[in-house]
DNA sequence: CTAAACATTGCCACTAATGTGAAGGTCAAA
DNA sequence: TTTGACCTTCACATTAGTGGCAATGTTTAG
C-alpha cells in the first residue's frame, strides 16, 4: 500500500510516517515512480511505534527493540549480536519498572476518584437530610 | 530542606527542580534570604513527577493528577471542581491503556530474549556434538 | 485526450516540550 | 575572605513533530 492508505489505517499522518522512516524505524520499498510502498505488517508496526513513543521510549531505543515485537519469533534470532541481549534485558526491565510505577499511580487515581464520588454522595445525603 | 539536599535525595538535579517549579509542579516556600525550602513530602512528589514524565505524561497533565497521588486521601477532595473528575477518569483510563500496551510488549520482549537464549544453547549443543 | 483535482516527493524551516549551561550576583560557614 | 550553595536570567540543546512549497506522478471528469 502507499503512504496515504497506511496513514488512514494507522491514524498516523503521512508526514509522520516519512519522519519515522527518517529515524530509521520503518523502511518501505519504492515503486518505479519513487512512491513509497508499505507491506501489510507495517500497519501493526506503526501502531507499536506510536505506543512506544507515547510511553516515553525514545526512537533510538525503539529501533532496537522493534525486532522483538514482530509476532512470529522470526529466525532473525540467528544474528546473536553480542550486547543485543544485554540491551534488550535492560530495556525490558526498565519497561517493567515503568509498568509497576504506572499501576501504582493508576490505582491511587482510582481511589481518589472514588473518594470524590463518595464525597459527592455524602453531601447529597446531607442536603437531603437538611 | 534546601534545593541541594532535595536534589541529592531525589537524584534530580537542582536545575531541574527549578524547572519543575517554573512548570507549576512544585511550589517551595522561601526563606528570608530568598532560598527555596522544601517540605519532606516533596521528595516523594518529585520522584512521582520523574516517573510520570518518563512515562510520557506531559507536565500540564501531571499538574492536574498530582493531587490524587498524595498518600492520605486529603480533604482536598472538598474542591469538587466540576470537570476535574472527568479529566481524572480520562487520564486514568489512558494510563490503563498504556499499562496494557507495555505489558503486552514487555512479554514479547521476554519471549524474544528466551528465544535468543534457546538459540545460543542449541548451537552450543550442536558444537559439542560435532 | 486534456484539464482539473488529488497524492506523493524532497526540502527547509519552524514549533513545542523538556531540559541544560553559563554568566554574574548573593548568602553564609569555615 | 575565600569557598560552596544558592539566586535569577538568558540562551542554547535535543527530541518529536509540523507547515509550506514547488515539482512530479496519478486519477478522474468533461
Amino acid at each position: 500500500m502507499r503512504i496515504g492508505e497506511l496513514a488512514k489505517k494507522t491514524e498516523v499522518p503521512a508526514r509522520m510516517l516519512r519522519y519515522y522512516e527518517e529515524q530509521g524505524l520503518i523502511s518501505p520499498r519504492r515503486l518505479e515512480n519513487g512512491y513509497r510502498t508499505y507491506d501489510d505488517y507495517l500497519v501493526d508496526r506503526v501502531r507499536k511505534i506510536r505506543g512506544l513513543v507515547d510511553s516515553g521510549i525514545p526512537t533510538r531505543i525503539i529501533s532496537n527493540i522493534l525486532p522483538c515485537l514482530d509476532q512470529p519469533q522470526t529466525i532473525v534470532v540467528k544474528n546473536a549480536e553480542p550486547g543485543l541481549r544485554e540491551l534488550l534485558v535492560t530495556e525490558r526491565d526498565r519497561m517493567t519498572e515503568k509498568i509497576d510505577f504506572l499501576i501504582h499511580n493508576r490505582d491511587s487515581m482510582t481511589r481518589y476518584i472514588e473518594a470524590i464520588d463518595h464525597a459527592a454522595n455524602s453531601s447529597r445525603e446531607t442536603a437531603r437530610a437538611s
Side-chain angles (χ1 to χ4, degrees), chain A:
Chain A
M1 81 192 77
R2 291 184 312 182
I3 201 169
E5 192 180 344
L6 182 61
K8 216 164 269 174
K9 284 191 184 169
T10 59
E11 308 246 300
V12 173
R15 188 68 188 75
M16 221 177 212
L17 294 173
R18 294 194 197 96
Y19 172 73
Y20 286 150
E21 180 178 350
E22 211 171 289
Q23 303 304 307
L25 299 178
I26 41 180
S27 305
R29 294 189 313 277
R30 298 293 181 129
L31 302 171
E32 312 92 23
N33 56 15
Y35 282 21
R36 292 168 177 83
T37 181
Y38 299 86
D39 294 332
D40 280 348
Y41 80 95
L42 288 173
V43 174
D44 207 53
R45 184 150 175 159
V46 167
R47 295 210 180 103
K48 269 170 191 149
I49 293 171
R50 281 306 318 151
L52 293 167
V53 170
D54 279 349
S55 300
I57 295 165
T59 58
R60 146 186 61 85
I61 303 288
I62 295 177
S63 67
N64 283 309
I65 69 181
L66 269 180
C68 318
L69 306 182
D70 290 331
Q71 271 324 57
Q73 234 76 85
T74 38
I75 317 96
V76 189
V77 179
K78 288 296 179 189
N79 292 339
E81 293 217 27
L84 174 62
R85 200 200 101 105
E86 278 299 316
L87 184 143
L88 292 181
V89 170
T90 302
E91 289 307 322
R92 194 262 320 258
D93 293 349
R94 201 190 299 278
M95 229 152 152
T96 297
E97 276 177 38
K98 203 172 277 189
I99 289 165
D100 294 344
F101 173 86
L102 285 174
I103 287 176
H104 177 82
N105 288 289
R106 190 261 319 259
D107 291 349
S108 291
M109 288 182 72
T110 295
R111 278 193 299 277
Y112 192 88
I113 290 165
E114 284 166 359
I116 290 178
D117 293 348
H118 186 265
N121 278 347
S122 299
S123 69
R124 188 147 42 74
E125 307 218 346
T126 304
R128 180 141 41 96
S130 68

